[in-house]
């Protein structure tokens, strides 16, 4: 075996280990590598190692020959006394005479330490991987720095985009508010003349203004029908807008489902009998009670039944059926007809707003195409769904599934009080109660006033909120019908002022307004109104409500 | 080439000529990348495309662009990410140039897809050295001149570099003689 000394000479050895040093047994420095000598200038041959370095090892302070002889298989780390230099070294024991040869290189944790210690890259032996490690580390630092920069850029972009979205949202909210305001205004503007049209038609039909010929009666009926059609259209549009804006709150109550079905059927019975269409009702006695918004559920049923009548030929048949489905915890209400039916391809777009399956149908069967969209949206608001089965030429079946629990199925007893009164037989009007009618629209004053007078009420008038307060204090009416949108002082303020007067605490005040947007009812009730009715109101219904409040007052 | 080269071109154009010019250079070169990643590999054609577009947008010759890039690389880009190593690669210009061949070998180890140029040196005199530049990429000798100029500025040592061999004229590599101090008077 050839010895190393025969391959490399001493100078070559020194070149391979520029940080080497040699000690004798007394730990005196005999020789120093070129790079180390440049960095630790005081470390010259003849000086003691302990003047320049100490051991970097826990529990070992002394440095002597005995200790070094035990370290030939261990890594030894020295820490410079006057600088931050650390040397990671390996010791070789050379015999005769005993010499300790240390080889290794500086231990660096970051490239920045190079400058601190005073080392340059050419100081390292070419084979030393310390330089590669430092380069690799710098490279990783570059990647980290870029990742941070990219993150900052990304965060800035997200912030910018969020800011843009916030602006867009604000704009959207503004537009939505404008839409609500527009709908509110339109609702009021459309309902006010309709109130006159429907009210006067009703008064004329009931002979309030004298008897009518058959032709006149027929014409008035046509006016009334058209008015009601227009009203349902406005109501549908407002409902869809409310649902779209997430502002439709349901009034959840337990209702008798059979009564609700019958009531809905009565609504379309006139149309059905005109077309000689028979209607049957099948109810499931188990599903007698449903927890839902009674008014909205009736709206669903009336819409489906109206459609069935509309698209069923004369002499056809319609059935309304309720079924409990305990497995799905649902009540299913089906409206089935043997009408014209719907093709499979058309069913998909059936529930889109303003969809009528073709223009020909649209002309043949009047409608806005809002009804089914509303049915679906109302069913979904209840947590339910709508399913359609249909075959062209054979008929259709629309099934509304609504959440239901058999265990919760009970029908509450009517609360004591005026709800129990048979208002149709209790004619308080015969005694001529004094009613104050407040409205700034002369047609409304005349229409409603004339009708109520014909029902034996005494009617006095006011045309703004301030005047209404004065009249109430002077004439002491038994009930006030208060319009809301009024000049000088609006109805809300007038109601609040009246309510603040302890002597008028029990005076029934009914808000009668064309304002039918979300929150209008609450605003009126909060101000102190006992009830809230929207125009156009059926005058017969208005009479009933007036009577019920007067009866309630009497009981109290 | 690695993204750091493209990033350097971006920084050079943006810092010296403005953001608008960089947007124009990118558009001209058909490059849609917003941020280059230093340690990602990009096609050489993209880098050449950016340099070509820069000459048109900035109204400079490719030699001027390449020289400016070489200087910028040393004085800005390399310092930005590798400043601690760069400043420790030699105590002076001569020591740095002595070490340059080893430095590039080490760089090649870290960037396996880099295909970096190779440097050799010879004819070392106290204030003069001959640098040999081997690269498979054509037309970059002006960039090397810029690099040497940047190094001289970094060490605050006036120096001259003379190209003595030209690969694009048939030599097997490019050769440069760098002189500083008294050797510049020769």
């Amino acid at each position: 075996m050839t010895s190393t000394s025969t391959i490399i000479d001493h100078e070559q050895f020194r070149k391979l280990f520029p940080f080497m040093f040699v000690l004798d047994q007394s730990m005196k420095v005999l020789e120093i590598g070129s790079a180390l000598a440049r960095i630790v200038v005081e470390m010259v041959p003849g000086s003691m190692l302990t003047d320049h370095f100490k051991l970097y090892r826990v529990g070992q302070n002394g440095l002597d020959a005995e200790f070094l002889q035990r370290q030939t298989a261990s890594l030894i780390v020295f820490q410079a006394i006057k600088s931050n230099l650390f040397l990671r070294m390996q010791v070789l024991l050379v015999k005769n005479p005993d010499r300790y040869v240390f080889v290794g290189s500086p231990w660096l944790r970051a490239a920045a330490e190079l400058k601190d210690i005073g080392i340059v890259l050419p100081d390292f032996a070419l084979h030393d991987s310390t330089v590669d490690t430092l380069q690799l580390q710098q490279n990783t630092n570059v990647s980290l720095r870029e990742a941070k920069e990219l993150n900052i850029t990304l965060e800035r972009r997200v912030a910018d985009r969020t800011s843009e979205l916030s602006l867009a949202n604000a704009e959207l909210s503004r537009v939505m508010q404008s839409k609500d305001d527009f709908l509110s205004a339109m609702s009021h503007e459309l309902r006010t003349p309709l109130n006159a049209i429907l009210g006067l038609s009703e008064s004329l039909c009931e002979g309030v203004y004298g008897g009518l010929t058959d032709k006149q009666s027929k014409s008035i009926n046509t006016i009334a029908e058209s008015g009601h059609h227009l009203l349902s259209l406005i109501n549908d549009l407002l409902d869809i807008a409310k649902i779209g804006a997430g502002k439709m709150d349901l009034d959840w109550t337990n209702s008798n489902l059979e009564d609700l079905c019958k009531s809905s059927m009565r609504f379309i019975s006139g149309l059905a009998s005109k077309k000689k269409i028979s209607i049957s009702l099948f109810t499931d006695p188990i599903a007698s009670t449903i927890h839902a918004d009674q008014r909205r559920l009736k709206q669903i049923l009336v819409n489906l039944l109206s459609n069935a009548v509309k698209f069923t030929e004369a002499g056809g048949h319609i059935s309304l059926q309720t079924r409990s489905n305990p497995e799905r915890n649902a009540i299913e209400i089906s409206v089935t007809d043997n009408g014209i039916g719907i093709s499979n391809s058309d069913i998909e777009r059936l529930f889109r707003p303003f969809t009528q399956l073709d223009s020909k149908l649209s002309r043949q069967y009047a409608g806005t195409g809002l009804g089914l969209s509303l049915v679906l949206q109302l069913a979904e608001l209840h947590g339910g769904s709508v399913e359609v089965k249909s075959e062209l030429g054979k008929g259709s079946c629309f099934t509304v599934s609504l959440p239901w629990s058999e265990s919760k199925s009970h029908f509450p007893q009517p609360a004591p009080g005026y709800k129990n009164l048979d208002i149709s037989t209790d004619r308080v009007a015969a005694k001529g109660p004094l009613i104050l009618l407040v409205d700034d629209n002369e047609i409304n004053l005349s229409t409603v006033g004339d009708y109520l007078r014909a029902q034996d009420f005494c009617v006095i008038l006011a045309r703004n909120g301030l005047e209404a307060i004065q009249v109430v204090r002077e004439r002491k009416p038994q009930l006030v019908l208060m319009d809301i949108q009024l000049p000088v002082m609006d109805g809300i303020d007038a109601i609040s002022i009246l309510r603040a007067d302890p002597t008028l605490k029990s005076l029934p005040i009914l808000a009668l307004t064309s304002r039918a947007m979300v929150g209008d009812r609450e605003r009126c009730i909060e101000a102190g109104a006992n009830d809230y009715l929207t125009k156009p109101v059926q005058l017969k219904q208005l009479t009933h409500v007036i009577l019920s409040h007067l009866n309630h007052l009497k009981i109290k | 080439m690695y993204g750091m080269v493209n990033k350097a071109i971006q920084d050079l154009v943006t810092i010296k000529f403005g953001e608008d010019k960089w947007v124009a250079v990118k558009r001209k070169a058909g490059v849609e990348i917003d941020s280059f990643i230093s340690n990602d590999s990009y096609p050489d054609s993209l880098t050449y495309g950016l340099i070509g577009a820069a000459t048109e947008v900035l109204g400079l010759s490719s030699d001027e662009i390449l020289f400016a890039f070489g200087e910028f690389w040393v004085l800005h880009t390399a310092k930005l990410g590798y400043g601690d190593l760069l400043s420790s690669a030699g105590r002076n210009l001569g020591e740095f140039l002595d070490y340059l061949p080893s430095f590039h070998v080490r760089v090649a180890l870290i960037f396996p897809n880099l295909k970096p140029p190779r440097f050799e040196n010879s004819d070392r005199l106290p204030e003069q050295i001959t640098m040999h530049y081997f690269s498979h990429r054509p037309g970059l000798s002006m960039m090397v001149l810029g690099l040497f100029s940047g190094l001289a500025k970094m060490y605050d040592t006036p120096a001259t570099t003379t190209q003595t061999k030209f690969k694009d004229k048939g030599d097997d590599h490019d050769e440069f003689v760098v002189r500083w101090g008294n050797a510049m008077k020769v």
Side-chain angles (χ1 to χ4, degrees):
Chain A
M1 193 174 178
T2 315
S3 71
T4 306
S5 61
T6 62
I7 301 174
I8 59 171
D9 59 26
H10 189 69
E11 274 314 301
Q12 286 172 323
F13 176 79
R14 287 177 58 82
K15 202 171 183 180
L16 282 175
F17 302 105
F19 293 94
M20 57 81 76
F21 58 89
V22 181
L23 304 180
D24 66 9
Q25 279 197 308
S26 66
M27 304 294 107
K28 192 194 293 174
V29 177
L30 299 176
E31 187 179 351
I32 314 163
S34 57
L36 185 59
R38 196 155 45 227
I39 298 163
V40 189
V41 287
E42 303 89 351
M43 191 172 173
V44 291
S47 61
M48 298 300 290
L49 178 71
T50 47
D51 292 338
H52 316 295
F53 287 97
K54 59 182 179 183
L55 266 178
Y56 185 70
R57 178 174 289 195
V58 177
Q60 178 66 41
N61 297 320
L63 183 64
D64 54 30
E66 190 189 342
F67 169 74
L68 288 180
Q69 280 174 14
R70 295 199 309 269
Q71 305 304 318
T72 51
S74 298
L75 193 65
I76 304 175
V77 179
F78 292 105
Q79 183 179 3
I81 289 168
K82 292 182 180 171
S83 72
N84 291 325
L85 173 66
F86 284 81
L87 291 175
R88 44 190 288 286
M89 309 298 270
Q90 181 173 359
V91 64
L92 306 167
L93 183 58
V94 181
K95 291 286 182 187
N96 298 322
D98 283 357
R99 297 281 184 267
Y100 299 98
V101 181
F102 288 84
V103 292
S105 60
W107 164 242
L108 298 164
R109 282 157 294 195
E113 291 180 5
L114 288 167
K115 200 172 183 181
D116 182 34
I117 298 165
I119 308 175
V120 292
L121 301 184
D123 285 338
F124 290 88
L126 291 175
H127 66 82
D128 196 332
S129 64
T130 304
V131 178
D132 302 295
T133 306
L134 291 175
Q135 280 195 355
L136 211 53
Q137 193 190 45
Q138 290 263 287
N139 207 43
T140 307
N141 289 343
V142 167
S143 295
L144 279 174
R145 196 196 67 221
E146 284 181 2
K148 281 180 189 167
E149 285 170 0
L150 280 174
N151 196 35
I152 289 167
T153 308
L154 203 61
E155 279 178 355
R156 199 178 299 130
R157 277 187 196 166
V158 169
D160 289 349
R161 194 61 56 85
T162 306
S163 164
E164 285 168 20
L165 280 173
S166 297
L167 286 174
N169 271 344
E171 178 63 13
L172 195 63
S173 297
R174 197 188 60 74
V175 170
M176 291 297 284
Q177 186 57 49
S178 300
K179 193 187 88 176
D180 285 351
D181 293 347
F182 174 76
L183 280 170
S184 173
M186 284 307 290
S187 162
H188 181 267
E189 295 307 316
L190 292 170
R191 279 165 189 269
T192 301
L194 259 181
N195 194 40
I197 292 168
L198 293 174
L200 282 172
S201 304
E202 202 176 344
S203 293
L204 283 167
C205 282
E206 292 194 12
V208 170
Y209 299 113
L212 299 173
T213 65
D214 282 353
K215 266 193 172 177
Q216 284 169 335
S217 184
K218 207 173 170 183
S219 301
I220 296 295
N221 274 331
T222 308
I223 292 171
E225 274 174 25
S226 302
H228 280 297
H229 180 75
L230 197 54
L231 180 60
S232 67
L233 176 62
I234 293 167
N235 287 339
D236 282 0
L237 272 170
L238 286 174
D239 283 346
I240 283 180
K242 276 184 201 170
I243 294 172
K247 289 182 174 175
M248 181 175 277
D249 295 324
L250 296 181
D251 183 13
W252 295 91
T253 54
N254 282 335
S255 308
N256 182 295
L257 187 54
E258 186 174 343
D259 287 352
L260 208 59
C261 289
K262 283 180 179 167
S263 160
S264 304
M265 283 167 67
R266 272 199 298 277
F267 210 83
I268 52 105
S269 60
L271 276 174
S273 65
K274 268 185 198 169
K275 287 179 79 175
K276 294 188 172 37
I277 293 170
S278 60
I279 309 176
S280 17
L281 173 65
F282 304 96
T283 53
D284 180 345
I286 296 172
S288 61
T289 307
I290 187 163
H291 190 65
D293 184 322
Q294 197 172 339
R295 184 172 149 234
R296 297 301 176 188
L297 182 53
K298 188 174 169 186
Q299 199 175 356
I300 291 173
L301 297 182
V302 169
N303 255 305
L304 292 177
L305 286 165
S306 302
N307 269 356
V309 172
K310 200 189 297 178
F311 295 107
T312 300
E313 300 295 337
H317 180 76
I318 294 169
S319 74
L320 176 58
Q321 187 175 8
T322 66
R323 276 183 310 275
S324 60
N325 188 338
E327 283 178 13
R328 289 174 57 191
N329 284 331
I331 278 184
E332 293 168 355
I333 310 167
S334 299
V335 175
T336 312
D337 65 58
N338 61 351
I340 60 172
I342 310 155
S343 70
N344 280 339
S345 57
D346 285 336
I347 283 178
E348 276 181 23
R349 53 195 187 96
L350 202 57
F351 293 96
R352 290 182 203 157
F354 301 103
T355 297
Q356 281 226 325
L357 297 182
D358 63 42
S359 54
K360 191 178 155 199
L361 274 183
S362 185
R363 281 195 298 273
Q364 193 177 348
Y365 305 99
T368 58
L370 289 173
L372 283 178
S373 171
L374 196 53
V375 164
L376 177 64
Q377 292 186 51
L378 287 172
E380 286 176 346
L381 264 184
H382 278 85
S385 60
V386 183
E387 190 186 6
V388 192
K389 285 179 184 165
S390 187
E391 201 175 329
L392 267 181
K394 292 197 173 173
S396 308
C397 175
F398 286 78
T399 302
V400 179
S401 294
L402 297 174
W404 172 76
S405 167
E406 193 176 354
S407 60
K408 290 180 184 170
S409 179
H410 68 280
F411 193 64
Q413 293 300 308
Y418 80 91
K419 282 183 184 170
N420 258 352
L421 294 175
D422 181 358
I423 55 172
S424 61
T425 55
D426 192 354
R427 304 289 294 177
V428 178
K431 295 173 187 168
L434 184 63
I435 308 281
L436 169 61
L437 175 60
V438 190
D439 203 312
D440 62 329
N441 183 298
E442 290 301 329
I443 298 172
N444 285 346
L445 285 173
S446 142
T447 308
V448 179
D450 286 353
Y451 186 89
L452 292 178
R453 282 187 198 103
Q455 307 300 317
D456 293 338
F457 289 102
C458 289
V459 181
I460 49 175
L461 307 176
R463 289 170 176 78
N464 63 58
L466 195 61
E467 192 184 340
I469 293 168
Q470 286 165 353
V471 173
V472 167
R473 284 176 179 157
E474 286 166 14
R475 304 287 303 274
K476 312 284 184 208
Q478 285 166 271
L479 184 141
V480 178
L481 288 172
M482 181 75 78
D483 188 16
I484 296 303
Q485 201 166 315
L486 291 168
V488 185
M489 178 190 287
D490 69 23
I492 297 282
D493 286 349
I495 293 171
S496 302
I497 291 169
L498 289 173
R499 244 345 140 225
D501 184 341
T503 63
L504 301 172
K505 202 177 170 186
S506 57
L507 174 68
I509 305 175
L510 313 185
L512 180 60
T513 175
S514 304
R515 297 181 65 88
M517 294 304 288
V518 172
D520 286 336
R521 167 185 280 275
E522 289 70 20
R523 270 191 289 280
C524 291
I525 301 296
E526 203 176 301
N530 297 77
D531 214 335
Y532 167 90
L533 300 165
T534 56
K535 295 178 195 170
V537 65
Q538 276 198 313
L539 295 172
K540 204 179 277 178
Q541 185 206 348
L542 176 64
T543 310
H544 284 193
V545 174
I546 290 172
L547 286 172
S548 75
H549 278 279
L550 290 174
N551 277 332
H552 186 51
L553 190 65
K554 216 164 69 173
I555 289 165
K556 280 173 102 177
Chain B
M1 275 192 230
Y2 273 78
M4 66 181 73
V5 178
N6 302 324
K7 212 174 173 60
I9 298 172
Q10 175 179 356
D11 288 349
L12 169 69
V13 175
T14 307
I15 291 169
K16 297 209 177 229
F17 301 96
E19 179 74 30
D20 292 350
K21 292 290 182 193
W22 170 243
V23 172
V25 167
K26 268 207 317 175
R27 195 183 301 125
K28 186 95 190 160
V31 173
E32 291 180 352
I33 298 165
D34 279 339
S35 304
F36 293 106
I37 309 293
S38 289
N39 292 327
D40 265 8
S41 193
Y42 296 85
D44 279 6
S45 57
L46 188 148
T47 310
Y48 280 106
L50 286 173
I51 292 170
T55 60
E56 287 187 47
V57 171
L58 305 176
L60 298 170
S61 69
S62 59
D63 279 358
E64 286 171 310
I65 294 272
L66 285 169
F67 186 87
F69 176 75
E71 273 199 339
F72 189 81
W73 178 263
V74 172
L75 297 173
H76 179 84
T77 308
K79 263 192 172 175
L80 205 64
Y82 305 88
D84 291 327
L85 278 179
L86 195 72
S87 61
S88 301
R91 290 181 178 83
N92 50 54
L93 179 61
E95 199 170 33
F96 187 99
L97 293 174
D98 287 336
Y99 190 65
L100 193 57
S102 299
F103 198 85
H104 267 82
V105 171
R106 294 187 191 280
V107 167
L109 287 175
I110 293 172
F111 300 104
N113 301 320
L114 183 61
K115 296 178 192 163
R118 177 165 62 88
F119 279 100
E120 286 181 12
N121 48 31
S122 67
D123 305 302
R124 183 69 159 96
L125 294 172
E127 292 176 324
Q128 178 177 320
I129 193 167
T130 300
M131 301 299 296
H132 305 269
Y133 174 72
F134 302 85
S135 173
H136 71 282
R137 296 186 177 93
L140 297 180
S141 57
M142 280 306 289
M143 187 188 76
V144 180
L145 284 165
L147 284 172
F148 291 145
S149 171
L151 283 172
K153 285 181 181 173
M154 188 176 91
Y155 283 105
D156 200 16
T157 304
T160 59
T161 307
T162 312
Q163 186 165 1
T164 47
K165 281 188 180 174
F166 300 83
K167 193 180 175 187
D168 57 7
K169 288 180 182 170
D171 292 324
D172 66 335
H173 69 281
D174 293 299
E175 185 184 273
F176 307 87
V177 176
V178 186
R179 296 184 181 88
W180 62 97
N182 289 326
M184 285 171 69
K185 297 171 188 165
V186 178

